[in-house]
Amino acid sequence: MQRITITIEDDLLAEIDAAAAARGYQNRSEIIRDLARAALQQSSEDNAQGGPCVAGLVYVYDHAARDLSKRLVQEFHGHHDLALATLHVHLDDDNCMEMTALRGDAAEVRHFADHIIAERGVRYGRVVMIPTGEGKPKVRKHGHRHE
């Protein structure tokens, strides 16, 4: 086993400590190892998906973080073919939440979402991916036009 040093925000550490106490962990290392294992397992399952999908990307970020808004806009412009729509919500003086609907190949959607979530200043992020099946979406005829 190796000993490492990590930097964690005070609020996040308080949440980890509270979860450790609630679940009966003896120390921080045990809960952080279990949380890391669970995240890696989830990531492995998520990455196994392939083919076309739709997804919801939700993330909370510090709007004052250095150049974060600019970096996020650049990421979205670089992947404009994946993003369908984004809702921006001001949570408080420091935090904003964005929810983006995505559509595309699962591997590309996952790659894009991972990059957004990993940006410095993004405090929390999660993507939910839903497979849509093979091929192009079927067009249904239904008595009115979409313009």
Side-chain angles (χ1 to χ4, degrees):
M1 199 173 294
Q2 292 186 29
R3 183 177 300 250
I4 63 169
T5 302
I6 61 173
T7 303
I8 298 179
E9 298 148 346
D10 292 341
D11 293 346
L12 179 57
L13 186 57
E15 287 184 54
I16 291 170
D17 288 343
R23 297 178 189 177
Y25 283 92
Q26 298 299 311
N27 57 55
R28 290 175 176 161
S29 292
E30 291 177 8
I31 191 169
I32 289 172
R33 279 193 296 268
D34 281 355
L35 291 170
R37 284 187 198 105
L40 289 170
Q41 177 64 33
Q42 183 65 48
S43 178
S44 174
E45 291 171 9
D46 290 346
N47 287 333
Q49 273 186 329
C53 75
V54 292
L57 171 60
V58 179
Y59 56 99
V60 174
Y61 67 96
D62 177 358
H63 73 90
R66 184 175 172 176
D67 294 329
L68 179 58
S69 294
K70 181 179 177 181
R71 292 193 313 268
L72 291 173
V73 168
Q74 288 174 339
E75 283 284 338
F76 274 91
H77 279 268
H79 296 87
H80 62 87
D81 55 321
L82 298 177
L84 300 173
T86 298
L87 172 66
H88 181 92
V89 180
H90 300 277
L91 298 176
D92 55 36
D93 289 341
D94 300 317
N95 296 291
C96 294
M97 176 175 67
E98 290 193 349
M99 296 172 279
T100 301
L102 303 168
R103 179 175 55 199
D105 178 72
E108 291 177 38
V109 168
R110 166 62 58 195
H111 181 76
F112 173 67
D114 286 347
H115 274 81
I116 295 297
I117 293 167
E119 283 285 348
R120 174 178 254 156
V122 173
R123 293 190 170 142
Y124 174 84
R126 176 163 294 174
V127 63
V128 175
M129 297 173 61
I130 301 167
T132 58
E134 297 299 321
K136 292 184 177 180
K138 292 182 179 179
V139 176
R140 293 184 168 200
K141 296 183 179 181
H142 56 269
H144 67 273
R145 296 181 337 152
H146 293 261
E147 296 180 32

